[in-house]
Amino acid sequence: MRYIQLRIVLCFLIIAFFPKVSLAQVSNVEVNGIVKTAEGKPIDGASLVGEKDNILSTTDPSGKFSINVPLGAKLSVVAKGFVGKSFTVNSKSNDFNISLLKDNAVQVAFKKVQERDLSSGISFVNVQDILNKSYSTFSLDGMQSLVGGFNYNIWGQGGYLVLVDGFLREPGSILPVEIDQITFLKGANAVALYGSRAAQGVVYITSKRGSVQKQQISVRANAGIDVPKRFAKYLGSAEYMSYYNQALANDGLAPLYSEETIFNHANGNEFRYPDVDYYSSKYLKSFSRRYDANVEIKGGSPVAQYYTVVNFSNNNDLLNFGEAKNNQTTRFNVRGNVDVAINDFITAKLGVNAIYSNSRGVNADYWGGAATLRPFRYTPLIPIDLIEASDAASQLQIRNSKNLIDGRYLLGGNQLETTNPIGSIYAGGHSNFVSRQFQFNTGIDANLNSLMKGLTLHTNFGIDYDTQYTTSYNDTYAVYQPTWNTFAGFDQISSLSKINDDASNGRQNVTNSFYRQTLTFSTNLDYKRQIDKNNFGAMFLVNGYQRSTSAIYHKESNANLGLNLSYNYDNKYYVDFNEALVHSARFAKSKRMMPSPTLSLGWRLSEEKFLKNWKALDNLKITVSAGILHTDISASNYYLYETVYSQTDGQWFSWRDGALERSTDIRRGENLDLTFAQRREINAGIEASFLNRLITFNGSFYANRMKGNITQANALFPNYFVTNFPNSSLLPFINFNNDDRIGLDFNITFNKKVGAVDLSLGVTGNYYNTTASRRAEILEDDYQYRQGKPLDAIFGLKNLGFYTDAQDIANSPATAFGTVKPGDIKYQDQNGDGVINQQDEVYLGKAGFNGSPFFGGLNFTAKWKNFTLFAMATGQVGAYALKNQSAYYNIDGIDKYSVNVRNSWTVENQATATFPRLTTLTSDNNYRNSDFWLYSTNRFDLSRVQLTYDFPKRILQSSFVNELSAYINGANLLTISQERELMELNIGGAPQTRFFNLGLKASF
């Protein structure tokens, strides 16, 4: 009995003092389950998190998991892109079927909202969804095909504000592989809280961050080539000389080049009779190459999450000789983001990005020279084997030369071309452009539920440094002008004339130094509360940035207070009010602060009884917004409100002989009432989806007026306010000009599965019209007023063809543009005053400075088994441009001749000529803005195609590789346009290229 009692006591003690051991032995259970989306698709890689914030397991590709935990354990399921869910393990159920809702959060001004709750004038792109099927290296590449209303401007408004994680940064400072989401804030209500400098729209780029998951490493590598699309076409030496003689004849002058000279340059020795083709394979490669690679590491627990990426890229260019062979650009950057839960209510954020970029180049403008230097002007290289051996002086020059090219050539030139792009690339030294960017940002998020339920505080601070400079070795070099003879029956050089000397001091020069510092700060107190079906929100914020730039005295600043009040009932009725109190030091003290109120209302009609039972309709929501934004964007500088005095020209002879007296002149009048311009806007939006999201639509109609843009308006003041002698002006800057815009944008997506193929087609577009609704003008002829015309209006003369002969000139109105001859362009006398001058210029069309009246894009996806085909295209319609703006068409004097002159006017071909007569003089008449040079910029571009193969996961199961994809893509592939040749040309710069790429991506 004593032994039995002792055993009972011992058992009691074990249970009392070691309860966890006892439970572990008897209460652990195996928990199995599957994690799926709301649509029933398995979620791969979802994390099962225990009470100690440790990851216990992750789901497999079928969404299944299996873990062993104690009874009563509380578990959480977390997956990227989904709203997490918690559950408790009990003895009655250990087999779970867990469904997670997709987290469709979209970044807007200072907060995130669910996609279904967005107001009008907001679009977004989840970049990783696109990057998996369309790899690119610029953050905003292809966005026109994915977002309506964006064409590297927003709603045609010009420069937009770019924010990366809420901090003022350049779009090139972040690569697509680092981006999670891009939000396009277009409407006034969407941008109001960012203050004055955001009045033309905001592009908000959200970088990737860590998530609750086991560590994942992803590696991507690419190798591609850039192939020129088209080179400019210029005449060779012989043909140039023939046409130049034609130009001389048109001017009544004798020919300059003999038939023998022309023949020799067409058929003779290329070194004696040069015919330099800058676009030949002598100087250019058929393609340039590009490599890039990156490694991403992410993971974390509920306490801390991390994301790190390392990127490297290298590319060269098309030049293939001399120092240019070493031309290359290298970029390396490291980005890291960390989120840490300091305690239950405070979370800290940290982000760091460092970018190192070096670009090695040559000390020559090769492409500029290619567009201007005539082909016969000099011989780039002189072969030393054609120099007479008996010419002792030349042989000595060869031995003393420091720039003997390939051991065979001296550099050629003459007294007019003492340097040239080819010689400079061989012997002029090289340069290195260096860019360094360091970006640091941090923030604190505090949950203030203990003070008030639903209250949170968010504080962010960022500091960026951007430095640039160029180092170079600037060498001088000798060029040689040969004297040729044919005494031996063939061409040879009898002597050389040396010009300049070969010299290299070895000194490194530092030029073009640039420095910029940007400080960004924001704090917002946020309140969110749901009471039954009522959702309340409020936010008060302080926001601002300041940017200082080298060689610019005044810093660029943007500062404002902000208030947001929002409410929605059951996600059906929405009200959103924003008020920003903006500040700008560009105005006098009494005019530096202004309010910017906006209001948005929304109604989800699909939740109403009269539509809820309509099976074809999934969702229908309409919104309307209105507001007034005050902006200082039209203030080009500081202190425009002040009077400006000058003594620069203030010297006058006095009554005292030989003495000058100083005087002070006024150059600008004072206006202390100068203030902000106003963006006054109303916009309406509609979003809808039909037939179980077979078709989705999102669009906005917008009408805004930029009222009170700043200008100096001569027409509003007496003419004596401005005098030429003495040079003075009393004209002040005033708020006067008004600019109107009206338009609509849209996104339409079609999703359909046809057999085993998943198809998706997206169509985006924007149509808008602009009007200069208020201008200060005094013009004699009504048709010349800019008021009432588009903001990008092209004005020019109307052409009537070419003058045919002297009689035609005599019978036509006189011209104020110099002497004209047969073959010159004849213009219409619009006002009938008998003189052709600037008063005869009329409206010709829209220039499309900020986008054509209609621009849009297409994106197409076809997925079959493990293959994905993706394509993007863009298009624009309705704008025009002028050919005479390019030296490729604007030809007179001793300009280099392009192939366009081949159909220039002569007496013989006057019925079919398409180009005015050639002249060796300056042509004031022919190259004026006129509809003769007008052309349509309508175009359609196949901008990207990519084919991706995802290796089946069953193949990878036995390896350490979780995912493996290979792809091939091409960019800038095709242009369809009536003016395709012109649109594919870059005159004076490196050519446009098509890009072809092979890539590989793996995750571990």
Side-chain angles (χ1 to χ4, degrees):
M1 178 63 70
R2 285 187 306 173
Y3 292 114
I4 294 174
Q5 291 175 343
L6 181 60
R7 289 176 182 177
I8 293 173
V9 172
L10 289 173
C11 288
F12 175 79
L13 291 174
I14 291 173
I15 293 173
F17 290 97
F18 302 101
K20 293 184 180 180
V21 176
S22 176
L23 287 172
Q25 291 175 343
V26 299
S27 300
N28 269 26
V29 295
E30 184 175 320
V31 178
N32 300 297
I34 184 170
V35 182
K36 297 182 178 181
T37 67
E39 293 79 20
K41 296 181 179 180
I43 299 176
D44 183 15
S47 298
L48 276 295
V49 181
E51 294 179 75
K52 295 183 178 181
D53 291 333
N54 56 325
I55 298 175
L56 304 176
S57 179
T58 56
T59 58
D60 62 19
S62 63
K64 295 180 180 179
F65 67 89
S66 179
I67 54 177
N68 194 279
V69 295
L71 280 172
K74 295 181 179 179
L75 303 178
S76 299
V77 183
V78 181
K80 177 68 173 176
F82 293 87
V83 179
K85 182 177 288 188
S86 300
F87 63 97
T88 302
V89 177
N90 54 59
S91 59
K92 296 181 180 179
S93 60
N94 58 10
D95 196 1
F96 293 89
N97 192 334
I98 301 168
S99 177
L100 298 184
L101 295 174
K102 194 168 184 181
D103 184 4
N104 292 321
V106 179
Q107 178 69 55
V108 295
F110 298 99
K111 63 180 179 180
K112 287 190 175 185
V113 301
Q114 290 298 309
E115 179 184 357
R116 68 179 183 272
D117 298 328
L118 290 176
S119 61
S120 61
I122 300 175
S123 300
F124 72 97
V125 175
N126 290 321
V127 174
Q128 292 310 299
D129 294 342
I130 303 300
L131 198 65
N132 287 335
K133 55 188 178 182
S134 177
Y135 182 70
S136 61
T137 56
F138 177 62
S139 59
L140 301 180
D141 188 29
M143 291 298 121
Q144 181 180 331
S145 299
L146 303 169
V147 174
F150 178 77
N151 185 31
Y152 296 102
N153 65 77
I154 292 176
W155 287 354
Q157 297 178 111
Y160 49 86
L161 188 70
V162 177
L163 302 173
V164 179
D165 294 330
F167 301 95
L168 179 68
R169 283 167 186 164
E170 303 300 325
S173 68
I174 185 168
L175 299 175
V177 72
E178 306 169 45
I179 298 174
D180 181 39
Q181 187 182 81
I182 302 178
T183 311
F184 299 85
L185 305 174
K186 299 174 285 188
N189 187 68
V191 303
L193 294 179
Y194 285 115
S196 172
R197 309 300 286 180
Q200 293 175 329
V202 174
V203 175
Y204 193 113
I205 301 174
T206 304
S207 68
K208 291 181 181 178
R209 307 197 75 84
S211 58
V212 179
Q213 64 176 79
K214 290 186 176 179
Q215 181 171 282
Q216 177 182 338
I217 301 175
S218 298
V219 178
R220 188 190 291 265
N222 293 273
I225 59 173
D226 281 292
V227 181
K229 293 179 96 172
R230 193 181 298 272
F231 290 120
K233 297 178 181 179
Y234 292 99
L235 302 187
S237 295
E239 194 175 7
Y240 174 90
M241 293 174 177
S242 296
Y243 277 99
Y244 193 79
N245 283 346
Q246 176 182 307
L248 289 167
N250 291 338
D251 296 332
L253 302 173
L256 178 63
Y257 305 105
S258 67
E259 291 298 325
E260 180 184 4
T261 299
I262 294 173
F263 176 84
N264 287 334
H265 277 275
N267 302 286
N269 184 323
E270 64 174 310
F271 299 105
R272 184 173 185 178
Y273 305 103
D275 185 10
V276 181
D277 180 3
Y278 289 88
Y279 302 99
S280 73
S281 57
K282 289 182 181 179
Y283 309 113
L284 303 181
K285 294 174 285 191
S286 55
F287 62 85
S288 60
R289 53 110 185 114
R290 186 186 193 283
Y291 306 123
D292 71 80
N294 55 71
V295 178
E296 297 177 86
I297 305 172
K298 65 178 180 179
S301 68
V303 174
Q305 303 92 46
Y306 58 90
Y307 170 80
T308 301
V309 62
V310 179
N311 294 287
F312 174 82
S313 65
N314 178 269
N315 62 278
N316 61 6
D317 62 25
L318 292 170
L319 298 179
N320 195 33
F321 67 97
E323 276 290 341
K325 286 185 176 181
N326 300 316
N327 286 3
Q328 62 177 330
T329 298
T330 302
R331 184 186 190 275
F332 175 80
N333 86 282
V334 179
R335 179 183 295 275
N337 288 329
V338 177
D339 298 271
V340 179
I342 297 176
N343 53 39
D344 291 341
F345 62 92
I346 296 180
T347 301
K349 301 179 293 185
L350 178 67
V352 178
N353 185 34
I355 305 172
Y356 303 85
S357 179
N358 291 325
S359 182
R360 180 185 171 115
V362 291
N363 299 329
D365 181 8
Y366 182 83
W367 301 109
T372 56
L373 289 172
R374 291 174 291 172
F376 60 89
R377 289 298 301 165
Y378 70 100
T379 301
L381 299 176
I382 300 172
I384 60 176
D385 59 358
L386 292 183
I387 300 174
E388 290 187 34
S390 60
D391 181 10
S394 297
Q395 296 299 326
L396 179 62
Q397 287 177 332
I398 294 172
R399 290 193 296 272
N400 291 336
S401 173
K402 295 180 180 180
N403 293 306
L404 196 59
I405 309 303
D406 297 333
R408 300 172 55 196
Y409 303 100
L410 291 173
L411 295 175
N414 53 52
Q415 291 292 342
L416 296 178
E417 272 77 34
T418 58
T419 61
N420 58 76
I422 295 175
S424 295
I425 288 176
Y426 274 117
H430 67 274
S431 61
N432 190 39
F433 173 72
V434 180
S435 174
R436 301 287 184 263
Q437 296 181 54
F438 301 97
Q439 301 169 349
F440 172 84
N441 50 268
T442 185
I444 295 290
D445 296 335
N447 187 329
L448 304 180
N449 268 330
S450 59
L451 298 177
M452 178 184 293
K453 188 174 182 180
L455 189 65
T456 56
L457 177 68
H458 309 275
T459 298
N460 295 283
F461 174 77
I463 182 167
D464 295 1
Y465 295 97
D466 184 357
T467 60
Q468 300 173 10
Y469 59 91
T470 300
T471 62
S472 61
Y473 293 94
N474 301 316
D475 300 334
T476 60
Y477 57 92
V479 296
Y480 300 85
Q481 184 171 357
T483 300
W484 294 85
N485 69 73
T486 54
F487 299 147
F490 57 87
D491 291 326
Q492 59 181 344
I493 298 170
S494 54
S495 64
L496 293 173
S497 296
K498 182 182 177 182
I499 305 166
N500 297 332
D501 294 307
D502 295 323
S504 176
N505 57 24
R507 183 171 60 241
Q508 186 181 62
N509 302 290
V510 179
T511 57
N512 302 323
S513 60
F514 170 87
Y515 168 82
R516 184 171 66 190
Q517 180 194 67
T518 306
L519 301 174
T520 309
F521 173 80
S522 68
T523 294
N524 56 292
L525 195 62
D526 200 358
Y527 173 77
K528 291 181 182 179
R529 185 76 183 274
Q530 181 175 356
I531 302 175
D532 296 328
K533 295 182 179 181
N534 299 279
N535 298 283
F536 299 93
M539 179 168 52
F540 177 76
L541 65 90
V542 180
N543 170 58
Y545 70 78
Q546 187 172 81
R547 171 171 281 179
S548 57
T549 305
S550 55
I552 297 178
Y553 170 73
H554 211 297
K555 299 176 181 179
E556 176 189 344
S557 300
N558 181 78
N560 65 280
L561 300 176
L563 174 68
N564 169 254
L565 301 174
S566 60
Y567 169 80
N568 81 71
Y569 175 77
D570 197 23
N571 302 115
K572 187 192 306 186
Y573 308 111
Y574 296 85
V575 179
D576 191 73
F577 171 78
N578 289 319
E579 172 73 271
L581 185 62
V582 301
H583 174 274
S584 176
R586 293 174 185 257
F587 309 116
K589 290 183 178 180
S590 62
K591 299 293 182 179
R592 290 182 178 178
M593 297 189 74
M594 286 290 178
S596 293
T598 66
L599 178 67
S600 177
L601 304 174
W603 181 18
R604 192 178 307 280
L605 283 79
S606 55
E607 293 298 312
E608 299 293 348
K609 292 181 179 179
F610 57 86
L611 286 177
K612 197 166 187 178
N613 295 325
W614 189 19
K615 295 182 179 179
L617 180 65
D618 308 321
N619 177 50
L620 178 61
K621 178 186 172 187
I622 60 173
T623 56
V624 61
S625 301
I628 300 175
L629 304 182
H630 284 86
T631 174
D632 65 354
I633 289 177
S634 68
S636 59
N637 211 330
Y638 291 84
Y639 311 115
L640 295 182
Y641 57 89
E642 291 187 343
T643 306
V644 172
Y645 298 93
S646 174
Q647 290 186 331
T648 303
D649 300 324
Q651 293 185 7
W652 311 95
F653 286 103
S654 69
W655 289 103
R656 191 174 48 168
D657 291 344
L660 293 175
E661 290 187 356
R662 278 267 184 219
S663 68
T664 300
D665 301 327
I666 188 170
R667 296 301 171 85
R668 187 175 73 210
E670 181 182 77
N671 179 15
L672 298 180
D673 290 328
L674 189 71
T675 187
F676 297 84
Q678 298 177 1
R679 174 182 169 182
R680 298 185 170 190
E681 178 178 282
I682 182 169
N683 69 73
I686 180 171
E687 64 177 66
S689 64
F690 306 91
L691 302 172
N692 196 23
R693 297 188 67 82
L694 173 67
I695 303 172
T696 62
F697 174 85
N698 188 299
S700 297
F701 167 83
Y702 54 91
N704 68 53
R705 166 170 290 180
M706 194 66 78
K707 177 180 172 60
N709 284 318
I710 297 173
T711 184
Q712 278 184 305
N714 299 50
L716 297 179
F717 297 89
N719 57 9
Y720 55 77
F721 269 48
V722 179
T723 61
N724 294 322
F725 185 84
N727 184 7
S728 66
S729 172
L730 294 171
L731 289 180
F733 279 97
I734 61 173
N735 297 98
F736 192 83
N737 289 354
N738 293 346
D739 299 339
D740 291 356
R741 291 176 176 81
I742 185 170
L744 58 90
D745 69 22
F746 61 86
N747 288 57
I748 307 174
T749 304
F750 304 89
N751 300 289
K752 179 70 174 177
K753 185 164 188 175
V754 179
V757 182
D758 289 312
L759 299 174
S760 176
L761 174 65
V763 182
T764 69
N766 185 86
Y767 178 81
Y768 78 107
N769 187 56
T770 65
T771 305
S773 58
R774 190 187 190 199
R775 292 293 187 271
E777 302 174 284
I778 300 177
L779 297 169
E780 186 174 340
D781 302 301
D782 291 344
Y783 56 80
Q784 287 204 313
Y785 277 96
R786 271 50 176 175
Q787 182 168 308
K789 302 295 193 305
L791 297 176
D792 54 0
I794 301 174
F795 277 79
L797 301 166
K798 285 280 189 178
N799 89 95
L800 299 174
F802 301 116
Y803 291 108
T804 57
D805 51 34
Q807 188 64 38
D808 187 14
I809 295 174
N811 295 335
S812 299
T815 176
F817 306 133
T819 302
V820 294
K821 291 187 175 184
D824 286 334
I825 301 173
K826 181 167 61 174
Y827 301 112
Q828 182 175 337
D829 184 7
Q830 298 290 341
N831 56 7
D833 63 356
V835 179
I836 302 297
N837 54 27
Q838 290 183 340
Q839 284 184 263
D840 296 303
E841 292 184 347
V842 297
Y843 171 66
L844 299 179
K846 300 178 181 181
F849 292 151
N850 292 325
S852 294
F854 176 81
F855 57 84
L858 300 171
N859 61 85
F860 172 76
T861 305
K863 184 172 179 59
W864 176 72
K865 295 185 178 179
N866 295 94
F867 289 95
T868 302
L869 175 67
F870 180 78
M872 288 196 301
T874 60
Q876 62 183 50
V877 177
Y880 297 87
L882 294 166
K883 293 180 180 180
N884 66 312
Q885 303 300 316
S886 168
Y888 198 61
Y889 291 89
N890 193 335
I891 299 170
D892 59 12
I894 58 173
D895 291 341
K896 189 172 186 176
Y897 286 179
S898 68
V899 294
N900 297 294
V901 305
R902 286 175 176 166
N903 200 27
S904 56
W905 188 95
T906 62
V907 174
E908 294 75 21
N909 75 342
Q910 59 181 294
T912 58
T914 58
F915 201 81
R917 75 177 180 98
L918 297 178
T919 177
T920 61
L921 307 175
T922 299
S923 180
D924 289 332
N925 181 81
N926 290 340
Y927 299 103
R928 308 196 73 82
N929 288 356
S930 75
D931 60 347
F932 182 89
W933 302 110
L934 194 72
Y935 69 95
S936 168
T937 58
N938 294 351
R939 63 188 295 170
F940 177 84
D941 294 278
L942 181 60
S943 51
R944 184 174 297 274
V945 175
Q946 178 169 314
L947 179 64
T948 305
Y949 178 72
D950 299 314
F951 288 84
K953 291 192 176 182
R954 54 182 172 79
I955 298 178
L956 307 174
Q957 284 181 350
S958 58
S959 70
F960 63 94
V961 180
N962 297 327
E963 296 178 350
L964 182 63
S965 301
Y967 50 90
I968 180 172
N969 60 28
N972 304 323
L973 297 174
L974 174 67
T975 297
I976 300 174
S977 173
Q978 186 178 356
E979 295 288 345
R980 175 185 173 187
E981 180 175 350
L982 175 59
M983 292 184 175
E984 290 185 339
L985 280 179
N986 281 354
I987 307 300
Q992 299 178 37
T993 59
R994 293 182 177 89
F995 180 64
F996 301 95
N997 179 69
L998 287 171
L1000 188 70
K1001 179 188 176 184
S1003 296
F1004 310 95

